[in-house]
Amino acid sequence: MTMSDSTNLFVRARAALMEAEPQRKCELADRLYSDWNNNLLKIESDSDAVRTDVTEPGRPLKPELVHPRALPPRRGLGTQEGQAALIHAVTHIEFNAINLALDAVYRYPGMPVEYYGDWLRVAHEESKHFNLLRNKLNKMDYDYGDFVAHNGLWEIAMRTAHDLVHRMAMVPRMMEARGLDVTPDMIKRFRKIGDLETAEILKIILSEEIGHVEAGSRWFSFLCKERGIDAEQTWLDLVQTYLASDIRCPLHWETRKQAGFSDNELEQLQELCTRN
């Protein structure tokens, strides 16, 4: 990497996105955010066109990625293996989320400077979440990669890559928002079995994930306003286009409202869940 490359936001974001070793990826994401905050990066691009050169991010050989239907049955929390399997599943989501945030930076030039600051912050916080969970796995004599996982988050990111309106609608505002629905219950479940450490980690993650989804809501609304389209109806249309009958409930209204969802959006989404 040349000196000019080291100050180019997009070159640096791509390098972090394509890094396969998890700890190194986290370090690159953290350094990116630090350099951004210290005004050491430049937003330089020869085009505002959506970039299409990245179709797969850097990732380790393990976990093995399988179709969601090929995942083993959900284990209960009555055994250490079951606890580790659930923690591993969340760890994998957080690893994917680092890539999704870095991709949101790299793939879409021509956005306001605040947009890049938001997603660099998200990448930094997702790295923290990944490390907290991986360290917990290590304490249990497991590691990231010890269980199989699926690639659904990245797949929906690629399906929506051509249009940032679609990406913001479906990745932060739908797929990642699902974490706002399920994490409160996971916190209760880990507290019930006496694993207060994991419960506290999940509490930290939930608090910051609200902000991540809120960033998606904010930039989705910004883009819809810029294009002169109705944000709420566009989002509901995209949800049905991309997910069809795979819209899950229950919804956690309180956290979703904190993340920028309107009552009307939640009512309509609830109806879609019930109908499916």
Side-chain angles (χ1 to χ4, degrees):
M1 186 179 292
T2 67
M3 183 63 72
S4 61
D5 285 346
S6 69
T7 61
N8 185 303
L9 170 65
F10 298 114
V11 171
R12 291 273 302 278
R14 189 184 193 282
L17 177 62
M18 299 309 294
E19 173 59 48
E21 201 284 312
Q23 191 57 46
R24 177 64 176 160
K25 185 188 290 286
C26 290
E27 291 170 358
L28 291 175
D30 290 344
R31 196 175 306 158
L32 254 177
Y33 185 56
S34 175
D35 286 354
W36 175 265
N37 286 332
N38 288 307
N39 298 313
L40 299 177
L41 299 176
K42 298 176 182 177
I43 303 175
E44 296 177 340
S45 177
D46 56 7
S47 170
D48 286 348
V50 174
R51 295 191 172 97
T52 60
D53 57 304
V54 173
T55 57
E56 291 290 339
R59 61 166 68 96
L61 294 176
K62 289 187 175 183
E64 178 188 357
L65 300 181
V66 300
H67 191 279
R69 284 195 286 270
L71 291 171
R74 181 181 297 178
R75 301 172 177 89
L77 297 186
T79 66
Q80 180 160 299
E81 184 181 22
Q83 295 162 29
L86 179 54
I87 294 169
H88 186 277
V90 183
T91 308
H92 180 63
I93 290 170
E94 298 302 323
F95 182 79
N96 271 281
I98 303 169
N99 284 332
L100 293 171
L102 292 169
D103 189 73
V105 172
Y106 172 68
R107 192 173 297 274
Y108 304 102
M111 288 293 288
V113 63
E114 295 84 1
Y115 169 87
Y116 300 110
D118 273 344
W119 295 107
L120 290 172
R121 172 181 58 83
V122 171
H124 163 70
E125 291 177 350
E126 302 290 16
S127 297
K128 178 177 74 174
H129 301 169
F130 173 81
N131 284 322
L132 286 169
L133 290 163
R134 189 181 191 186
N135 289 340
K136 175 62 180 179
L137 281 174
N138 292 164
K139 289 180 182 179
M140 301 171 72
D141 295 325
Y142 291 91
D143 198 3
Y144 179 55
D146 285 350
F147 299 88
V148 298
H150 69 82
N151 200 29
L153 271 174
W154 184 257
E155 288 170 359
I156 194 71
M158 286 298 92
R159 288 176 62 197
T160 58
H162 64 286
D163 190 324
L164 189 52
V165 167
H166 292 218
R167 169 65 71 85
M168 291 292 105
M170 294 309 303
V171 175
R173 292 204 92 225
M174 196 63 202
M175 305 304 289
E176 294 188 82
R178 184 65 183 144
L180 306 185
D181 299 328
V182 301
T183 304
D185 183 63
M186 281 196 290
I187 293 171
K188 292 177 183 177
R189 291 173 65 198
F190 277 104
R191 282 177 176 161
K192 187 174 182 179
I193 64 169
D195 187 350
L196 302 184
E197 181 182 15
T198 299
E200 188 59 31
I201 292 171
L202 292 173
K203 185 178 176 182
I204 292 168
I205 290 172
L206 177 61
S207 175
E208 294 182 343
E209 291 293 348
I210 291 171
H212 301 174
V213 178
E214 188 278 330
S217 294
R218 187 158 24 85
W219 289 110
F220 176 72
S221 295
F222 169 87
L223 290 163
C224 288
K225 184 175 181 180
E226 192 175 59
R227 297 185 190 186
I229 56 179
D230 181 82
E232 289 189 1
Q233 190 57 54
T234 298
W235 180 70
L236 290 164
D237 289 345
L238 289 171
V239 166
Q240 293 180 80
T241 296
Y242 283 101
L243 294 183
S245 60
D246 191 23
I247 301 169
R248 301 178 186 177
C249 279
L251 307 176
H252 196 280
W253 282 50
E254 180 183 350
T255 52
R256 280 184 178 257
K257 288 184 73 172
Q258 291 177 50
F261 288 85
S262 70
D263 285 334
N264 181 58
E265 285 177 317
L266 294 174
E267 289 165 2
Q268 296 291 325
L269 187 62
Q270 184 75 53
E271 185 178 329
L272 291 171
C273 297
T274 305
R275 191 187 307 164
N276 293 327

Coordinates of all heavy atoms in Angstrom, one line a residue, residues 188-261:
K188 N -32.4 -12.6 28.7 CA -33.2 -13.2 29.8 C -32.8 -14.7 30.0 O -32.7 -15.2 31.1 CB -34.7 -13.1 29.6 CG -35.2 -11.6 29.6 CD -36.7 -11.6 29.3 CE -37.2 -10.2 29.3 NZ -38.7 -10.1 28.9
R189 N -32.6 -15.4 28.9 CA -32.3 -16.8 28.9 C -31.0 -17.0 29.6 O -30.8 -18.0 30.4 CB -32.4 -17.4 27.5 CG -33.8 -17.5 26.9 CD -33.7 -17.9 25.5 NE -33.3 -19.3 25.4 CZ -32.8 -19.8 24.2 NH1 -32.7 -19.0 23.1 NH2 -32.4 -21.0 24.2
F190 N -30.0 -16.2 29.2 CA -28.6 -16.4 29.8 C -28.6 -16.0 31.3 O -28.0 -16.7 32.1 CB -27.6 -15.6 29.0 CG -27.1 -16.4 27.8 CD1 -27.5 -16.0 26.5 CD2 -26.2 -17.4 27.9 CE1 -27.1 -16.7 25.4 CE2 -25.8 -18.1 26.8 CZ -26.2 -17.8 25.6
R191 N -29.4 -15.0 31.7 CA -29.5 -14.7 33.1 C -30.1 -15.8 33.9 O -29.7 -16.1 35.0 CB -30.3 -13.4 33.2 CG -29.6 -12.1 32.9 CD -30.4 -10.9 33.0 NE -29.7 -9.6 32.8 CZ -30.3 -8.5 32.5 NH1 -31.6 -8.4 32.3 NH2 -29.5 -7.4 32.3
K192 N -31.1 -16.4 33.2 CA -31.9 -17.5 33.9 C -31.0 -18.7 34.3 O -31.1 -19.3 35.3 CB -33.0 -18.0 33.0 CG -34.0 -19.0 33.7 CD -35.2 -19.3 32.8 CE -36.1 -20.2 33.5 NZ -37.3 -20.5 32.7
I193 N -30.0 -19.0 33.4 CA -29.1 -20.1 33.7 C -27.8 -19.6 34.5 O -26.9 -20.4 34.7 CB -28.6 -20.8 32.4 CG1 -27.8 -19.9 31.5 CG2 -29.8 -21.4 31.7 CD1 -27.1 -20.6 30.3
G194 N -27.8 -18.3 34.9 CA -26.7 -17.8 35.7 C -25.5 -17.4 34.9 O -24.5 -17.0 35.5
D195 N -25.6 -17.3 33.6 CA -24.5 -16.8 32.8 C -24.6 -15.3 32.6 O -25.0 -14.8 31.6 CB -24.4 -17.5 31.4 CG -23.2 -17.1 30.6 OD1 -22.4 -16.2 31.0 OD2 -22.9 -17.7 29.6
L196 N -24.2 -14.6 33.7 CA -24.4 -13.1 33.7 C -23.4 -12.4 32.8 O -23.7 -11.3 32.3 CB -24.2 -12.6 35.1 CG -25.2 -13.2 36.2 CD1 -25.1 -12.5 37.5 CD2 -26.7 -13.0 35.7
E197 N -22.2 -13.1 32.6 CA -21.2 -12.5 31.7 C -21.8 -12.3 30.2 O -21.7 -11.3 29.6 CB -19.9 -13.3 31.7 CG -18.8 -12.7 30.8 CD -17.6 -13.5 30.8 OE1 -17.6 -14.7 31.2 OE2 -16.6 -13.0 30.3
T198 N -22.3 -13.4 29.7 CA -22.9 -13.4 28.4 C -24.1 -12.5 28.3 O -24.2 -11.7 27.3 CB -23.3 -14.8 27.9 OG1 -22.1 -15.7 27.9 CG2 -23.9 -14.8 26.5
A199 N -24.9 -12.5 29.3 CA -26.0 -11.6 29.4 C -25.6 -10.1 29.3 O -26.2 -9.3 28.6 CB -26.8 -11.8 30.6
E200 N -24.5 -9.8 30.0 CA -24.0 -8.4 30.0 C -23.4 -8.1 28.6 O -23.6 -6.9 28.1 CB -22.9 -8.2 31.1 CG -22.5 -6.8 31.2 CD -23.6 -5.8 31.6 OE1 -24.5 -6.3 32.3 OE2 -23.5 -4.6 31.2
I201 N -22.7 -9.0 28.0 CA -22.2 -8.8 26.6 C -23.3 -8.5 25.7 O -23.3 -7.5 24.8 CB -21.4 -10.0 26.1 CG1 -20.1 -10.1 26.9 CG2 -21.0 -9.9 24.6 CD1 -19.3 -11.4 26.7
L202 N -24.4 -9.3 25.7 CA -25.5 -9.1 24.9 C -26.2 -7.8 25.1 O -26.7 -7.1 24.2 CB -26.5 -10.3 25.0 CG -26.0 -11.6 24.5 CD1 -27.0 -12.7 24.9 CD2 -25.8 -11.6 23.0
K203 N -26.2 -7.3 26.4 CA -26.8 -6.0 26.7 C -26.0 -4.9 26.1 O -26.6 -4.0 25.5 CB -26.8 -5.9 28.2 CG -27.5 -4.6 28.7 CD -27.5 -4.6 30.3 CE -28.1 -3.3 30.8 NZ -28.0 -3.2 32.3
I204 N -24.7 -5.0 26.1 CA -23.9 -4.0 25.4 C -24.2 -4.0 23.9 O -24.3 -3.0 23.3 CB -22.4 -4.3 25.6 CG1 -22.0 -4.1 27.1 CG2 -21.5 -3.5 24.7 CD1 -20.7 -4.6 27.5
I205 N -24.2 -5.2 23.3 CA -24.5 -5.3 21.9 C -25.8 -4.7 21.5 O -25.9 -4.0 20.6 CB -24.4 -6.8 21.5 CG1 -22.9 -7.3 21.5 CG2 -25.0 -7.0 20.0 CD1 -22.8 -8.8 21.3
L206 N -26.9 -5.1 22.3 CA -28.2 -4.6 22.0 C -28.2 -3.0 22.0 O -28.8 -2.4 21.1 CB -29.2 -5.1 23.0 CG -30.6 -4.6 22.9 CD1 -31.2 -5.0 21.5 CD2 -31.5 -5.2 24.0
S207 N -27.6 -2.4 23.0 CA -27.6 -1.0 23.1 C -27.0 -0.3 21.9 O -27.5 0.7 21.3 CB -26.8 -0.6 24.4 OG -26.6 0.8 24.4
E208 N -25.9 -0.9 21.4 CA -25.2 -0.3 20.3 C -25.8 -0.7 18.9 O -25.8 0.1 18.0 CB -23.7 -0.7 20.3 CG -23.0 -0.1 21.5 CD -21.5 -0.3 21.6 OE1 -21.0 -1.3 20.9 OE2 -20.8 0.4 22.3
E209 N -26.5 -1.9 18.9 CA -27.1 -2.3 17.6 C -28.3 -1.4 17.4 O -28.7 -1.2 16.2 CB -27.6 -3.7 17.7 CG -26.4 -4.7 17.7 CD -25.7 -4.8 16.4 OE1 -26.1 -4.2 15.4 OE2 -24.6 -5.4 16.4
I210 N -29.0 -0.9 18.4 CA -30.1 0.1 18.2 C -29.5 1.3 17.3 O -30.2 1.7 16.4 CB -30.7 0.6 19.5 CG1 -31.4 -0.6 20.2 CG2 -31.6 1.8 19.3 CD1 -31.9 -0.2 21.6
G211 N -28.3 1.7 17.7 CA -27.7 2.8 17.0 C -27.3 2.5 15.5 O -27.4 3.3 14.6
H212 N -27.0 1.2 15.3 CA -26.6 0.8 14.0 C -27.8 0.8 13.1 O -27.8 1.2 11.9 CB -26.0 -0.6 14.0 CG -24.8 -0.7 14.9 ND1 -24.1 -1.9 15.1 CD2 -24.0 0.3 15.5 CE1 -23.1 -1.6 15.9 NE2 -23.0 -0.3 16.1
V213 N -28.9 0.2 13.6 CA -30.2 0.2 12.8 C -30.7 1.6 12.6 O -31.2 1.9 11.5 CB -31.2 -0.7 13.5 CG1 -32.5 -0.7 12.7 CG2 -30.7 -2.2 13.6
E214 N -30.5 2.4 13.6 CA -31.0 3.8 13.5 C -30.2 4.5 12.3 O -30.8 5.3 11.6 CB -30.8 4.6 14.8 CG -31.3 6.0 14.8 CD -30.4 7.0 14.2 OE1 -29.2 6.9 14.2 OE2 -31.0 8.0 13.6
A215 N -28.9 4.2 12.2 CA -28.1 4.8 11.1 C -28.7 4.3 9.8 O -28.8 5.1 8.8 CB -26.7 4.4 11.2
G216 N -29.1 3.1 9.7 CA -29.7 2.6 8.5 C -31.0 3.3 8.2 O -31.3 3.6 7.0
S217 N -31.8 3.5 9.2 CA -33.1 4.2 9.1 C -32.8 5.6 8.6 O -33.5 6.1 7.7 CB -33.8 4.3 10.4 OG -34.3 3.0 10.8
R218 N -31.9 6.3 9.2 CA -31.6 7.7 8.8 C -31.1 7.8 7.4 O -31.6 8.7 6.6 CB -30.6 8.2 9.8 CG -30.3 9.7 9.7 CD -29.7 10.3 11.0 NE -29.0 9.3 11.8 CZ -27.7 9.0 11.6 NH1 -27.0 9.5 10.7 NH2 -27.2 8.1 12.5
W219 N -30.2 7.0 6.9 CA -29.7 7.1 5.6 C -30.7 6.6 4.5 O -30.8 7.1 3.4 CB -28.4 6.4 5.4 CG -27.3 7.2 6.2 CD1 -26.7 6.8 7.3 CD2 -26.8 8.5 5.8 NE1 -25.8 7.9 7.7 CE2 -25.9 8.9 6.8 CE3 -27.1 9.4 4.7 CZ2 -25.2 10.1 6.7 CZ3 -26.5 10.6 4.7 CH2 -25.5 10.9 5.7
F220 N -31.5 5.6 4.9 CA -32.6 5.2 4.1 C -33.6 6.4 3.8 O -34.0 6.7 2.7 CB -33.4 4.0 4.7 CG -34.6 3.6 3.9 CD1 -34.4 2.9 2.7 CD2 -35.9 3.8 4.4 CE1 -35.5 2.5 2.0 CE2 -37.0 3.4 3.6 CZ -36.8 2.7 2.4
S221 N -34.0 7.1 4.9 CA -34.9 8.2 4.8 C -34.2 9.3 3.9 O -34.9 10.0 3.1 CB -35.3 8.7 6.1 OG -36.0 7.8 6.9
F222 N -32.9 9.5 4.2 CA -32.2 10.6 3.4 C -32.3 10.3 1.9 O -32.5 11.2 1.1 CB -30.7 10.6 3.9 CG -29.8 11.4 3.0 CD1 -29.7 12.8 3.2 CD2 -29.1 10.8 2.0 CE1 -28.8 13.5 2.4 CE2 -28.2 11.5 1.2 CZ -28.1 12.9 1.4
L223 N -32.0 9.0 1.5 CA -32.0 8.6 0.1 C -33.4 8.7 -0.5 O -33.5 9.1 -1.7 CB -31.4 7.2 0.0 CG -29.9 7.1 0.3 CD1 -29.5 5.7 0.5 CD2 -29.1 7.7 -0.9
C224 N -34.4 8.3 0.2 CA -35.7 8.3 -0.3 C -36.2 9.8 -0.5 O -36.8 10.1 -1.5 CB -36.7 7.7 0.7 SG -36.6 5.8 0.7
K225 N -35.8 10.7 0.4 CA -36.1 12.1 0.3 C -35.4 12.7 -0.9 O -36.0 13.4 -1.7 CB -35.8 12.9 1.5 CG -36.1 14.3 1.5 CD -35.8 15.0 2.8 CE -36.2 16.5 2.8 NZ -36.0 17.2 4.1
E226 N -34.2 12.3 -1.1 CA -33.4 12.8 -2.2 C -34.0 12.3 -3.6 O -33.9 13.1 -4.6 CB -31.9 12.2 -2.1 CG -30.9 12.8 -3.0 CD -29.5 12.3 -2.7 OE1 -29.3 11.1 -2.8 OE2 -28.6 13.2 -2.4
R227 N -34.6 11.1 -3.6 CA -35.1 10.6 -4.8 C -36.6 11.0 -5.0 O -37.2 10.6 -6.0 CB -35.0 9.1 -4.9 CG -33.5 8.6 -4.9 CD -33.4 7.1 -5.1 NE -32.1 6.7 -4.9 CZ -31.6 5.4 -5.1 NH1 -32.5 4.5 -5.5 NH2 -30.4 5.1 -4.9
G228 N -37.2 11.6 -4.0 CA -38.6 12.0 -4.0 C -39.6 10.8 -3.9 O -40.6 10.8 -4.6
I229 N -39.2 9.8 -3.1 CA -40.1 8.6 -3.0 C -40.5 8.5 -1.5 O -39.8 9.0 -0.6 CB -39.4 7.3 -3.5 CG1 -38.1 7.1 -2.7 CG2 -39.2 7.4 -5.0 CD1 -37.4 5.8 -3.2
D230 N -41.6 7.9 -1.3 CA -42.2 7.7 0.1 C -41.4 6.7 0.8 O -41.4 5.5 0.4 CB -43.7 7.4 0.0 CG -44.2 7.2 1.4 OD1 -44.6 8.3 2.0 OD2 -44.3 6.1 1.9
A231 N -40.8 7.0 1.9 CA -39.9 6.1 2.6 C -40.6 4.9 3.2 O -40.2 3.7 3.0 CB -39.1 6.8 3.7
E232 N -41.7 5.1 3.8 CA -42.4 4.0 4.5 C -42.9 3.0 3.5 O -42.8 1.8 3.6 CB -43.6 4.5 5.4 CG -43.1 5.3 6.6 CD -44.3 5.6 7.6 OE1 -45.4 5.2 7.2 OE2 -44.0 6.2 8.6
Q233 N -43.6 3.5 2.4 CA -44.1 2.6 1.4 C -43.0 1.9 0.7 O -43.1 0.7 0.4 CB -45.0 3.3 0.4 CG -45.8 2.4 -0.5 CD -46.7 1.4 0.3 OE1 -47.5 1.8 1.2 NE2 -46.6 0.1 0.0
T234 N -41.9 2.6 0.4 CA -40.8 2.0 -0.3 C -40.2 0.8 0.5 O -39.9 -0.3 0.0 CB -39.7 3.0 -0.6 OG1 -40.3 4.0 -1.5 CG2 -38.5 2.4 -1.3
W235 N -40.1 1.1 1.8 CA -39.5 0.0 2.7 C -40.4 -1.2 2.7 O -39.9 -2.3 2.6 CB -39.3 0.6 4.1 CG -38.7 -0.4 5.0 CD1 -37.5 -0.9 5.0 CD2 -39.4 -1.1 6.1 NE1 -37.3 -1.9 6.0 CE2 -38.5 -2.0 6.7 CE3 -40.7 -1.0 6.6 CZ2 -38.8 -2.8 7.8 CZ3 -41.0 -1.8 7.7 CH2 -40.1 -2.7 8.3
L236 N -41.7 -1.0 2.9 CA -42.6 -2.1 2.9 C -42.6 -2.9 1.6 O -42.7 -4.1 1.6 CB -44.0 -1.6 3.3 CG -44.2 -1.1 4.8 CD1 -45.4 -0.3 4.9 CD2 -44.2 -2.3 5.7
D237 N -42.6 -2.2 0.5 CA -42.5 -2.8 -0.8 C -41.3 -3.7 -0.9 O -41.3 -4.8 -1.5 CB -42.6 -1.8 -1.9 CG -44.0 -1.1 -2.0 OD1 -45.0 -1.6 -1.5 OD2 -44.1 -0.1 -2.7
L238 N -40.1 -3.1 -0.5 CA -38.9 -3.8 -0.6 C -38.8 -5.1 0.3 O -38.3 -6.1 -0.1 CB -37.7 -2.9 -0.3 CG -37.4 -1.8 -1.4 CD1 -36.4 -0.8 -0.8 CD2 -36.9 -2.4 -2.7
V239 N -39.4 -4.9 1.5 CA -39.4 -6.1 2.4 C -40.2 -7.3 1.7 O -39.7 -8.4 1.7 CB -40.1 -5.7 3.7 CG1 -40.5 -6.9 4.5 CG2 -39.2 -4.8 4.5
Q240 N -41.3 -6.9 1.1 CA -42.1 -8.0 0.4 C -41.4 -8.5 -0.8 O -41.5 -9.7 -1.1 CB -43.5 -7.5 0.1 CG -44.3 -7.2 1.4 CD -45.7 -6.6 1.0 OE1 -46.6 -7.4 0.7 NE2 -45.9 -5.3 1.1
T241 N -40.7 -7.7 -1.5 CA -40.0 -8.1 -2.7 C -38.9 -9.1 -2.4 O -38.7 -10.1 -3.1 CB -39.4 -6.9 -3.5 OG1 -40.5 -6.0 -3.9 CG2 -38.6 -7.3 -4.7
Y242 N -38.1 -8.7 -1.4 CA -36.9 -9.5 -1.1 C -37.2 -10.7 -0.2 O -36.6 -11.8 -0.3 CB -35.8 -8.7 -0.5 CG -35.1 -7.8 -1.5 CD1 -35.4 -6.5 -1.6 CD2 -34.1 -8.4 -2.3 CE1 -34.8 -5.7 -2.6 CE2 -33.4 -7.6 -3.2 CZ -33.8 -6.2 -3.3 OH -33.1 -5.5 -4.3
L243 N -38.2 -10.6 0.8 CA -38.4 -11.6 1.8 C -39.6 -12.5 1.5 O -39.7 -13.6 2.1 CB -38.4 -11.0 3.2 CG -37.1 -10.4 3.6 CD1 -37.2 -9.9 5.1 CD2 -35.9 -11.5 3.6
A244 N -40.6 -11.9 0.8 CA -41.8 -12.6 0.5 C -42.4 -13.2 1.8 O -42.9 -12.5 2.6 CB -41.6 -13.7 -0.6
S245 N -42.4 -14.5 1.9 CA -43.1 -15.1 3.1 C -42.1 -15.4 4.2 O -42.5 -15.9 5.3 CB -43.7 -16.5 2.7 OG -42.6 -17.4 2.2
D246 N -40.9 -14.9 4.1 CA -39.9 -15.2 5.2 C -39.7 -14.0 6.1 O -38.6 -13.4 6.3 CB -38.5 -15.5 4.6 CG -37.5 -16.1 5.6 OD1 -38.0 -16.6 6.7 OD2 -36.3 -16.0 5.4
I247 N -40.8 -13.4 6.6 CA -40.9 -12.3 7.5 C -41.2 -12.8 8.9 O -42.3 -13.4 9.1 CB -41.9 -11.2 7.0 CG1 -41.5 -10.8 5.6 CG2 -41.9 -10.0 8.0 CD1 -42.6 -9.9 4.9
R248 N -40.3 -12.6 9.8 CA -40.4 -13.3 11.1 C -40.9 -12.4 12.2 O -40.6 -11.2 12.2 CB -39.1 -13.9 11.5 CG -38.6 -14.9 10.5 CD -37.2 -15.4 10.9 NE -36.7 -16.3 9.9 CZ -35.5 -16.9 10.0 NH1 -34.7 -16.6 11.0 NH2 -35.0 -17.6 9.0
C249 N -41.7 -12.9 13.1 CA -42.1 -12.2 14.3 C -41.7 -13.1 15.5 O -41.3 -14.3 15.3 CB -43.7 -12.1 14.3 SG -44.2 -10.7 13.3
P250 N -41.8 -12.6 16.7 CA -42.4 -11.4 17.1 C -41.5 -10.2 16.9 O -40.3 -10.4 16.7 CB -42.7 -11.6 18.6 CG -41.6 -12.5 19.0 CD -41.4 -13.5 17.9
L251 N -42.0 -9.0 16.9 CA -41.3 -7.8 16.8 C -41.1 -7.1 18.2 O -42.0 -7.2 19.0 CB -42.0 -6.8 15.9 CG -42.4 -7.3 14.5 CD1 -43.2 -6.2 13.8 CD2 -41.2 -7.7 13.7
H252 N -40.0 -6.6 18.4 CA -39.7 -5.9 19.7 C -39.9 -4.4 19.4 O -39.0 -3.7 18.9 CB -38.3 -6.1 20.2 CG -38.2 -5.8 21.7 ND1 -37.9 -4.5 22.1 CD2 -38.2 -6.5 22.8 CE1 -37.8 -4.5 23.4 NE2 -38.0 -5.7 23.9
W253 N -41.1 -3.9 19.6 CA -41.5 -2.5 19.2 C -40.6 -1.5 19.9 O -40.3 -0.5 19.2 CB -43.0 -2.3 19.5 CG -43.9 -2.9 18.5 CD1 -43.9 -4.2 18.1 CD2 -45.0 -2.3 17.9 NE1 -44.9 -4.4 17.2 CE2 -45.6 -3.2 17.0 CE3 -45.5 -1.0 17.9 CZ2 -46.7 -3.0 16.2 CZ3 -46.6 -0.7 17.1 CH2 -47.2 -1.7 16.2
E254 N -40.3 -1.6 21.2 CA -39.6 -0.6 21.9 C -38.2 -0.3 21.2 O -37.9 0.9 21.0 CB -39.4 -0.9 23.3 CG -38.7 0.1 24.2 CD -38.5 -0.3 25.6 OE1 -39.1 -1.3 26.0 OE2 -37.7 0.4 26.3
T255 N -37.5 -1.4 21.0 CA -36.1 -1.2 20.5 C -36.2 -0.7 19.0 O -35.4 0.1 18.5 CB -35.3 -2.4 20.6 OG1 -36.0 -3.5 20.0 CG2 -35.0 -2.7 22.0
R256 N -37.2 -1.2 18.2 CA -37.3 -0.8 16.8 C -37.7 0.7 16.7 O -37.2 1.4 15.8 CB -38.3 -1.7 16.1 CG -37.8 -3.1 15.7 CD -38.8 -3.8 14.9 NE -38.3 -5.1 14.4 CZ -37.9 -5.3 13.1 NH1 -37.9 -4.4 12.2 NH2 -37.5 -6.5 12.8
K257 N -38.5 1.1 17.6 CA -38.9 2.6 17.6 C -37.7 3.4 17.9 O -37.5 4.5 17.3 CB -40.1 2.8 18.5 CG -41.4 2.3 18.0 CD -42.6 2.6 18.9 CE -42.9 4.1 18.7 NZ -44.2 4.4 19.5
Q258 N -36.9 3.0 18.8 CA -35.6 3.7 19.1 C -34.7 3.7 17.9 O -33.9 4.7 17.8 CB -34.9 3.1 20.3 CG -35.6 3.2 21.7 CD -34.9 2.5 22.8 OE1 -33.7 2.6 22.9 NE2 -35.6 1.6 23.5
A259 N -34.8 2.7 17.1 CA -34.0 2.6 15.9 C -34.6 3.3 14.7 O -34.0 3.1 13.6 CB -33.7 1.1 15.6
G260 N -35.7 4.0 14.8 CA -36.2 4.8 13.7 C -37.4 4.3 13.0 O -37.7 4.8 11.9
F261 N -38.0 3.2 13.5 CA -39.2 2.7 12.9 C -40.4 3.5 13.3 O -40.5 3.8 14.5 CB -39.4 1.2 13.2 CG -38.4 0.3 12.5 CD1 -37.2 0.1 13.0 CD2 -38.7 -0.3 11.3 CE1 -36.3 -0.7 12.4 CE2 -37.8 -1.1 10.6 CZ -36.6 -1.3 11.2

